[in-house]
C-alpha cells in the first residue's frame, strides 16, 4: 500500500492531542496524505490530557518497548520548533533516593538504561545537590542522572506536527464531536460527527480518556480507566528570580514520596501520585464548552482537592526547604489514562476491520507510539515489538469494567513503587483458578498471578524436602523475594522421582474443519502433514520472518488439531487469516492440564491405562486419546523440564478427579506437586525458550535458536520468503546461554551484559539451575564463541559469566527419550 502507484487509503484520526497529531505526521511522512483529524475541542489546545500535561520525559522503563517509544519521542521533539522555540528542553532527569531500598532500585533502573541504550549514571548526594541546589542534601542518599531526558512542550509539539502534516495534505478539523462509527460487513466505513460524516478506510481512535466512549460507538472494547492526578504550581521563589529560561535544572523525581518537580521559570511545578486514586467515568466527562461553563479550564481539569494535597506539601517542603517560605499559587487535578497493566492499547480490531486504537498513551511515549502505529498501518508491522501493547492481550476476565477500574486504580497507586518482576497484583484475587486449586491450597501452595490465573510457584508441603538438599547459596534480599529454597527441592524431586505441574494457564486452541491442515501449513513454519497422533513444535511468523509466537500442534484426527499457544494475540492472528472451512476455538477455560514429569513418570501413569505408554508404544512428540482410571485424557508426550513425561489434558469438570487419580497412583513413587519456580529453573537448564521474554517478532528463528522448527522445503508459509535470505546468513546476534561463574550469584532478567567492558546486550530469562549449581541466564548478544567471558550488571555490580554450549543439561536427550 505504500507504493507510489497504489491508491492512498482514507484515514480519519479521532483526537488532535499529541498522539493524533504525531500519528498524522508519521502517516503523511510515509505517503498517506488523505488524513482527516477530528477534534471536539478548539485547536491548538482542545482540552484533553495533552492540554495540561507537565511534559516530563523520563526514558528509562523496565519495558524495552516503552523505552524505545520514549527515545524516539525525545529524538523527534528535539528536532521540532515552533516560532523559534524548541519542542523539547533537554535539561536531563534526576531521580532521588532517600532510602537504601530506593538507592538499590536506582541501580536496577540504571541497569535498564544500559540494557535499552539510554545514557545514565548513578550519582552521589553531593552531585544531586549540584544538579538541584534547592534540595536538602542531608535527606538524599544519591540519585540516577539521565542527561538526555527533559521536558516536552506537548502543545507546541502537537502544533509543529500538525503544521507538517497539513503541509503534506492532512486536514485538522476542530469543533467536530464524533457521534457514531459507520460500518459495513465488519469493516469501518466512516465517522459520523455533529457536523457531517467522513468516509474512511481506516479510523484511528486517539481520543485519550474518551477512548472508551469512541470504542463503544464502534463496538470495540477499550480497557482504559481515566484517573485524576494532582498538579500544582508554587508562587515565585526568590531562589529562582531572574530565570531566563523556562527550566535549567533536571526534571526531578522524589519517588519515595510519589512526587515529581519541574521548573516554570521562577516557580516550581509539582505532581503527586501520593493521593488516593481518583477515578473518572469517561462517559461523564464534559465536552469542552460545558466544562468551561462549569468553571473548569478544560475537560481534563478537575478541581484541586486540598485534603489530598496536604501530606504531599509537607513532603515537598522537607525535600526542598525553600518551599517553606511560599505557598501553592494554583493547582488542579488533571485526568489521564491508565490500563490494567499500565501499558498502551494499540492495534486494529479484528471485529471491526480498519478500526485502530492508539490509546492510553502518555506524552512520554507519544511520538514513538505514533511511529509504531503508522508503520503497522502502512507496512503491516512495526519496527519494535508491540506484544505488551497489543489490544488483544487482555483475557476476557480482565476486561470487565470492575476489573479495569480496580487494576487501573492500582496502577496509579504503584506508578513510583518499587515493584519486583514477580510481584503480583493483590486484587481482585483469586479470579481464575484451575480445577486443582483446592488441592493446591491444602498443600500450602504459594500463588503468584499471571493473566488472571492463580499459579503455584512452590508448595509449603515440600519444605521437609529441603533438609536433604545441602546448603544453597545465600540470596540477596531482592532475588530472595517471591522465592523459596523449596523450589530447589521441587526441581530435585522432578529430576529424581516424579512431580505434578499445573499447566492449565497455558493457552489451548482447537482447530477443526476440512481446510484445517492446509490452513495451519500456510500459517506455521514446520510441517504438520503427519499422521494423526503426531505432535509438532512450530512457529508463527510475520511477513518479515519475525517470531510472532511458538506453538505445539497435536494432530488428533485428520481435520482436528489441538494447539498449545501463548496469548490471546495468537488466537486473534489465526482468526484473522482463517478461511470459512476452518473453525478455531479457544478451549482453555473448559479444559485443564497436568504435567507429569520425572524418571518415574511412566511408573506412575502406565498402571492407570490399558494403552501402551512404553517408549516404543508412545514415542516422544506423540499424542494419544485414552483413559487414566475413569478420566478421558488427551496425552501428549512432551516435556518442558527435560525429563520423561506427559502433558495430560481433560475437561475442567473432570480435572479434580484427574489430579486425585494421579496423586494416589504416585504416592508409592514419592510424587510431589511442583510449582512454576522449579519449572522455570528446569526449562532454562534445557534451553527451552519462552516467547515474549526470550524472543519476539523483533527476532528471527535463526537468531533465537529455533531454526530447527522451520521447514524451508515445504509449500509456502507466512514469512518464508523473508527467511530465504536469512537462512544463508550467519546471525549477527544470538540468544546466548550464559552460566554465571560464581555459584552464589543470581540475576533475574533485563540486566545489561558487557563484553570487553562495553554494553553489548541484555538478559532475557534467568534462574538458578539447581541441577547445574549455577545461575543460568539467556541474553541477546553478538555471536560469541563458547567460553567467552562476559559480565552482567546487577545492582551496580559486574558479575562474571561465561558463554556456554546448549543445551546445558542432558544434551543427548537421553532422559526424555527413554
Amino acid at each position: 500500500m505504500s507504493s507510489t502507484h497504489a491508491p492512498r487509503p482514507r484515514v480519519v484520526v479521532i483526537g488532535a492531542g499529541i498522539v493524533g497529531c504525531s500519528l498524522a505526521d508519521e502517516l503523511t511522512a510515509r505517503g498517506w496524505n488523505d488524513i482527516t483529524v477530528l477534534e471536539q475541542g478548539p485547536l491548538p489546545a482542545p482540552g484533553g490530557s495533552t492540554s495540561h500535561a507537565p511534559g516530563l520525559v523520563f526514558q528509562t522503563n523496565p519495558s524495552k518497548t516503552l523505552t524505545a517509544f520514549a527515545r524516539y519521542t525525545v529524538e523527534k521533539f528535539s528536532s521540532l520548533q515552533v516560532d523559534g522555540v524548541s519542542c523539547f528542553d533537554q535539561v536531563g532527569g534526576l531521580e532521588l533516593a532517600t532510602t537504601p531500598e530506593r538507592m538499590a532500585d536506582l541501580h536496577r533502573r540504571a541497569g535498564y538504561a544500559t540494557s535499552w541504550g539510554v545514557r545514565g549514571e548513578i550519582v552521589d548526594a553531593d552531585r544531586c545537590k549540584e544538579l538541584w541546589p534547592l534540595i536538602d542534601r542531608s535527606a538524599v542518599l544519591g540519585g540516577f542522572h539521565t542527561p538526555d531526558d527533559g521536558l516536552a512542550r506537548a502543545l507546541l509539539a502537537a502544533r509543529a506536527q500538525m503544521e507538517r502534516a497539513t503541509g503534506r495534505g492532512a486536514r485538522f478539523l476542530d469543533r467536530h464531536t464524533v457521534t457514531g462509527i459507520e460500518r459495513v460487513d465488519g469493516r469501518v466505513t466512516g465517522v459520523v460527527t455533529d457536523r457531517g460524516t467522513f468516509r474512511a478506510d481506516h479510523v484511528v481512535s486517539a481520543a485519550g480518556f474518551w477512548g472508551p466512549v469512541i470504542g463503544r460507538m464502534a463496538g470495540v472494547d477499550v480497557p482504559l480507566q481515566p484517573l485524576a492526578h494532582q498538579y500544582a504550581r508554587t508562587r515565585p521563589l526568590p531562589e529562582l528570580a531572574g530565570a531566563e529560561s523556562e527550566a535549567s535544572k533536571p526534571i526531578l523525581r522524589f519517588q519515595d514520596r510519589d512526587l515529581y518537580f519541574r521548573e516554570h521559570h521562577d516557580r516550581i511545578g509539582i505532581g503527586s501520585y501520593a493521593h488516593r486514586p481518583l477515578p473518572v467515568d469517561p462517559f461523564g466527562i464534559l465536552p469542552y464548552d460545558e466544562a468551561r461553563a462549569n468553571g473548569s479550564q478544560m475537560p481534563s481539569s478537575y478541581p484541586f482537592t486540598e485534603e489530598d494535597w496536604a501530606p504531599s506539601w509537607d513532603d515537598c517542603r522537607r525535600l526542598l526547604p525553600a518551599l517553606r517560605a511560599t505557598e501553592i499559587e494554583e493547582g488542579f487535578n488533571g485526568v489521564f489514562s491508565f490500563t490494567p497493566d499500565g501499558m498502551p492499547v494499540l492495534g486494529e480490531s479484528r471485529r471491526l476491520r480498519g478500526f485502530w486504537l492508539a490509546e492510553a498513551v502518555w506524552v512520554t511515549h507519544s511520538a514513538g507510539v505514533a511511529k509504531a502505529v503508522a508503520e503497522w498501518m502502512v507496512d503491516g508491522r512495526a519496527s519494535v515489538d508491540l506484544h505488551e501493547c497489543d489490544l488483544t492481550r487482555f483475557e476476557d476476565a480482565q476486561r470487565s469494567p470492575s476489573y479495569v477500574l480496580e487494576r487501573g486504580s492500582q496502577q496509579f497507586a504503584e506508578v513510583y513503587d518499587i515493584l519486583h518482576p514477580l510481584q503480583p497484583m493483590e486484587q481482585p484475587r483469586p479470579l481464575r483458578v484451575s480445577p486443582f486449586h483446592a488441592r493446591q491450597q491444602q498443600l500450602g501452595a504459594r500463588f503468584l498471578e499471571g493473566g488472571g490465573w492463580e499459579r503455584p510457584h512452590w508448595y509449603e508441603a515440600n519444605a521437609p524436602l529441603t533438609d536433604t538438599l545441602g546448603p544453597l547459596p545465600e540470596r540477596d534480599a531482592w532475588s530472595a523475594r517471591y522465592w523459596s529454597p523449596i523450589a530447589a527441592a521441587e526441581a530435585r524431586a522432578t529430576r529424581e522421582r516424579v512431580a505434578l505441574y499445573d499447566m492449565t494457564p497455558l493457552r489451548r486452541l482447537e482447530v477443526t474443519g476440512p481446510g484445517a491442515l492446509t490452513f495451519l501449513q500456510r500459517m506455521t513454519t514446520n510441517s504438520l502433514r503427519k499422521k494423526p497422533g503426531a505432535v509438532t513444535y512450530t512457529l508463527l511468523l510475520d511477513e518479515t520472518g519475525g517470531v510472532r509466537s511458538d506453538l505445539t500442534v497435536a494432530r488428533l484426527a485428520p481435520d482436528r488439531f489441538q494447539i498449545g499457544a501463548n496469548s490471546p494475540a495468537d488466537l486473534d492472528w489465526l482468526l484473522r487469516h482463517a478461511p470459512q472451512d476452518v473453525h478455531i476455538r479457544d478451549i482453555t477455560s473448559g479444559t485443564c492440564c497436568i504435567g507429569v514429569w520425572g524418571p518415574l513418570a511412566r511408573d506412575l501413569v502406565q498402571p492407570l491405562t490399558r494403552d501402551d505408554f512404553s517408549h516404543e508404544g508412545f514415542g516422544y512428540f506423540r499424542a494419544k486419546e485414552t483413559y487414566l482410571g475413569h478420566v478421558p485424557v488427551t496425552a501428549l508426550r512432551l516435556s518442558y523440564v527435560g525429563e520423561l513425561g506427559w502433558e495430560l489434558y481433560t475437561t475442567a469438570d473432570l480435572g479434580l478427579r484427574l489430579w486425585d487419580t494421579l496423586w494416589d497412583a504416585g504416592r508409592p513413587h514419592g510424587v510431589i506437586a511442583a510449582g512454576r519456580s522449579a519449572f522455570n529453573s528446569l526449562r532454562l537448564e534445557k534451553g527451552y525458550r519462552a516467547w515474549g521474554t526470550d524472543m519476539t517478532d523483533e527476532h528471527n528463528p535463526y537468531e533465537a535458536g529455533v531454526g530447527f522448527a522451520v521447514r524451508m522445503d515445504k509449500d509456502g508459509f507466512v514469512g518464508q520468503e523473508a527467511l530465504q535470505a536469512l537462512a544463508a546468513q550467519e546471525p549477527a546476534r544470538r540468544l546466548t546461554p550464559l552460566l554465571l561463574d560464581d555459584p552464589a550469584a543470581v540475576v533475574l532478567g533485563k540486566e545489561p551484559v558487557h563484553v570487553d567492558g562495553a554494553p553489548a546486550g541484555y538478559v532475557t530469562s534467568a534462574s538458578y539451575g539447581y541441577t547445574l549449581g549455577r545461575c543460568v541466564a539467556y541474553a541477546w548478544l553478538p555471536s560469541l564463541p563458547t567460553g567467552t567471558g562476559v559480565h552482567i550488571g546487577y545492582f551496580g555490580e559486574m558479575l562474571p559469566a561465561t558463554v556456554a554450549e546448549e543445551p546445558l543439561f542432558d544434551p543427548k536427550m537421553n532422559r526424555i527419550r527413554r
Side-chain angles (χ1 to χ4, degrees):
M1 298 187 77
S2 57
S3 165
T4 55
H5 301 292
R8 298 294 188 263
R10 297 168 297 183
V11 180
V12 174
V13 178
I14 301 172
I18 190 63
V19 177
C21 292
S22 297
L23 180 58
D25 183 50
E26 294 288 338
L27 286 172
T28 55
R30 288 165 174 76
W32 283 21
N33 50 24
D34 191 351
I35 312 291
T36 301
V37 183
L38 301 175
E39 175 54 59
Q40 68 168 350
L43 292 173
S49 298
T50 301
S51 301
H52 68 69
L56 282 71
V57 177
F58 283 91
Q59 298 171 85
T60 306
N61 191 283
S63 166
K64 179 175 178 285
T65 298
L66 287 189
T67 301
F69 289 161
R71 287 181 64 192
Y72 182 75
T73 299
V74 169
E75 175 189 331
K76 184 176 187 181
F77 288 2
S78 296
S79 70
L80 299 176
Q81 289 188 349
V82 174
D83 298 332
V85 178
S86 174
C87 293
F88 191 79
D89 198 348
Q90 204 158 47
V91 293
L94 178 62
E95 303 179 41
L96 299 178
T98 60
T99 64
E101 294 78 13
R102 182 66 65 180
M103 195 68 225
D105 188 60
L106 293 187
H107 279 285
R108 185 168 63 109
R109 288 182 59 76
Y112 293 147
T114 303
S115 291
W116 314 145
V118 175
R119 287 201 305 154
E121 63 173 342
I122 297 294
V123 296
D124 62 19
D126 289 335
R127 178 59 175 152
C128 292
K129 179 72 172 178
E130 289 177 19
L131 291 166
W132 249 88
L134 299 186
I135 68 170
D136 178 357
R137 159 68 178 78
S138 67
V140 177
L141 300 180
F144 176 45
H145 180 224
T146 45
D148 299 328
D149 290 340
L151 293 166
R153 296 184 174 92
L155 284 176
L156 277 189
R159 181 178 155 195
Q161 293 175 101
M162 189 187 314
E163 291 174 355
R164 291 206 312 194
T166 301
R168 302 187 191 114
R171 58 176 176 168
F172 290 76
L173 303 176
D174 62 3
R175 299 293 190 175
H176 281 65
T177 299
V178 174
T179 58
I181 305 294
E182 292 189 335
R183 70 200 85 175
V184 174
D185 296 331
R187 182 159 195 96
V188 72
T189 59
V191 177
V192 182
T193 76
D194 58 350
R195 299 175 65 178
T197 297
F198 297 83
R199 298 294 165 210
D201 303 300
H202 295 275
V203 173
V204 185
S205 178
F209 51 68
W210 280 293
V213 179
I214 302 300
R216 180 176 290 182
M217 295 179 192
V220 175
D221 180 41
V222 182
L224 175 162
Q225 177 60 54
L227 287 110
H229 160 61
Q230 290 200 304
Y231 191 77
R233 294 192 195 197
T234 67
R235 296 184 185 279
L237 296 178
E239 292 83 355
L240 301 180
E244 295 182 1
S245 60
E246 181 180 357
S248 60
K249 301 174 185 60
I251 48 177
L252 186 68
R253 273 176 164 171
F254 181 22
Q255 291 155 297
D256 288 322
R257 289 295 183 269
D258 298 306
L259 293 164
Y260 63 81
F261 305 84
R262 58 152 295 180
E263 295 166 283
H264 292 280
H265 296 285
D266 59 355
R267 294 164 170 80
I268 293 180
I270 307 165
S272 172
Y273 293 99
H275 57 84
R276 60 195 167 95
L278 299 169
V280 176
D281 179 3
F283 295 90
I285 298 175
L286 297 176
Y288 186 90
D289 290 329
E290 288 185 40
R292 292 296 295 264
N294 277 269
S296 297
Q297 295 176 327
M298 57 192 73
S300 61
S301 179
Y302 278 55
F304 194 63
T305 48
E306 295 281 357
E307 67 277 12
D308 292 310
W309 178 253
S312 291
W313 186 228
D314 290 340
D315 291 330
C316 294
R317 289 171 154 182
R318 278 193 287 270
L319 180 69
L320 305 176
L323 298 182
R324 296 170 189 169
T326 189
E327 298 294 336
I328 295 300
E329 184 173 68
E330 59 179 346
F332 66 98
N333 291 359
V335 181
F336 62 138
S337 303
F338 285 81
T339 58
D341 60 2
M343 300 293 287
V345 181
L346 312 178
E348 182 190 21
S349 168
R350 176 176 51 81
R351 297 184 185 280
L352 183 58
R353 300 294 183 90
F355 184 81
W356 295 75
L357 297 179
E359 297 290 9
V361 182
W362 295 5
V363 171
T364 300
H365 310 114
S366 54
V369 164
K371 176 175 181 276
V373 173
E375 291 172 336
W376 202 348
M377 295 176 71
V378 176
D379 303 324
R381 61 155 289 169
S383 56
V384 296
D385 166 49
L386 297 180
H387 84 274
E388 294 176 308
C389 310
D390 195 300
L391 62 85
T392 65
R393 69 186 182 273
F394 295 113
E395 305 283 349
D396 287 345
Q398 297 173 301
R399 291 180 171 272
S400 71
S402 296
Y403 186 95
V404 174
L405 169 61
E406 192 163 352
R407 292 265 170 135
S409 297
Q410 187 65 21
Q411 286 292 333
F412 176 92
E414 293 179 348
V415 162
Y416 283 168
D417 285 2
I418 299 173
L419 299 177
H420 193 276
L422 292 176
Q423 184 170 334
M425 284 281 195
E426 294 181 1
Q427 295 296 334
R429 292 181 63 194
L431 184 64
R432 307 178 78 188
V433 299
S434 76
F436 329 124
H437 187 69
R439 297 291 185 265
Q440 293 165 342
Q441 288 179 307
Q442 292 167 4
L443 293 170
R446 175 63 189 272
F447 293 100
L448 301 183
E449 182 257 7
W453 287 100
E454 295 296 313
R455 297 184 172 197
H457 273 241
W458 65 84
Y459 294 85
E460 291 296 333
N462 297 323
L465 300 178
T466 61
D467 296 339
T468 63
L469 283 177
L472 289 172
E474 189 170 330
R475 290 202 170 206
D476 64 274
W478 186 253
S479 64
R481 292 182 67 185
Y482 305 104
W483 174 84
S484 168
I486 295 171
E490 293 176 359
R492 179 175 175 179
T494 306
R495 292 276 188 241
E496 295 181 352
R497 300 192 305 276
V498 62
L500 306 184
Y501 287 82
D502 182 0
M503 306 303 289
T504 301
L506 300 185
R507 182 165 303 278
R508 292 171 290 285
L509 309 177
E510 182 183 71
V511 180
T512 59
L517 175 61
T518 300
F519 168 65
L520 290 174
Q521 282 284 86
R522 178 169 60 87
M523 296 303 297
T524 69
T525 59
N526 213 334
S527 178
L528 306 179
R529 200 174 295 280
K530 302 171 183 176
K531 293 180 181 179
V535 181
T536 306
Y537 177 78
T538 187
L539 308 173
L540 290 178
L541 304 183
D542 63 24
E543 294 288 354
T544 69
V547 181
R548 284 190 57 94
S549 189
D550 62 342
L551 309 177
T552 303
V553 182
R555 191 176 190 185
L556 302 179
D559 60 354
R560 180 165 63 92
F561 296 80
Q562 179 175 305
I563 296 178
N566 285 297
S567 74
D570 296 342
L571 174 62
D572 184 81
W573 178 255
L574 293 172
L575 286 172
R576 286 175 185 271
H577 294 85
Q580 290 187 348
D581 62 349
V582 173
H583 307 285
I584 305 172
R585 188 165 62 100
D586 188 330
I587 60 172
T588 309
S589 297
T591 56
C592 58
C593 177
I594 300 175
V596 182
W597 291 311
L600 302 182
R602 184 176 288 117
D603 297 327
L604 188 159
V605 174
Q606 183 62 79
L608 298 173
T609 179
R610 295 180 180 179
D611 283 317
D612 184 0
F613 270 56
S614 69
H615 183 62
E616 295 73 22
F618 195 160
Y620 191 52
F621 266 77
R622 298 293 298 174
K624 279 188 180 182
E625 293 182 289
T626 184
Y627 288 87
L628 295 182
H630 298 94
V631 182
V633 299
T634 299
L636 308 186
R637 188 165 169 203
L638 303 175
S639 174
Y640 283 91
V641 299
E643 296 293 336
L644 171 68
W646 290 265
E647 292 178 0
L648 303 174
Y649 298 89
T650 192
T651 53
D653 59 322
L654 290 166
L656 192 59
R657 184 61 176 259
L658 177 61
W659 178 281
D660 289 343
T661 299
L662 295 169
W663 188 260
D664 291 343
R667 286 179 184 275
H669 307 292
V671 71
I672 67 162
R676 296 287 299 182
S677 187
F679 175 88
N680 200 43
S681 170
L682 297 170
R683 71 102 181 162
L684 281 172
E685 289 184 330
K686 281 299 292 180
Y688 293 140
R689 276 64 168 147
W691 185 86
T693 302
D694 297 317
M695 58 186 180
T696 69
D697 63 6
E698 290 185 356
H699 312 109
N700 70 58
Y702 307 113
E703 297 172 319
V706 290
F708 64 87
V710 177
R711 287 287 300 271
M712 292 298 291
D713 58 346
K714 80 169 190 175
D715 292 339
F717 59 84
V718 175
Q720 185 176 31
E721 186 176 341
L723 290 190
Q724 287 173 346
L726 294 171
Q729 300 174 4
E730 183 69 19
R733 61 176 180 176
R734 292 183 185 273
L735 185 60
T736 305
L738 304 174
L739 281 176
L740 274 73
D741 295 350
D742 182 352
V746 175
V747 298
L748 299 180
K750 300 187 178 180
E751 296 89 358
V753 182
H754 296 251
V755 179
D756 296 329
Y762 59 91
V763 174
T764 57
S765 294
S767 179
Y768 200 83
Y770 301 109
T771 316
L772 303 173
R774 291 286 192 280
C775 182
V776 180
Y778 272 77
W780 279 104
L781 290 169
S783 293
L784 298 171
T786 300
T788 301
V790 302
H791 286 84
I792 302 175
Y794 181 73
F795 286 94
E797 295 184 56
M798 299 300 287
L799 306 180
T802 302
V803 174
E805 188 79 32
E806 65 175 339
L808 304 171
F809 177 78
D810 188 27
K812 295 184 178 180
M813 305 284 281
N814 292 328
R815 297 176 71 90
I816 294 177
R817 294 178 171 141
R818 59 180 174 183

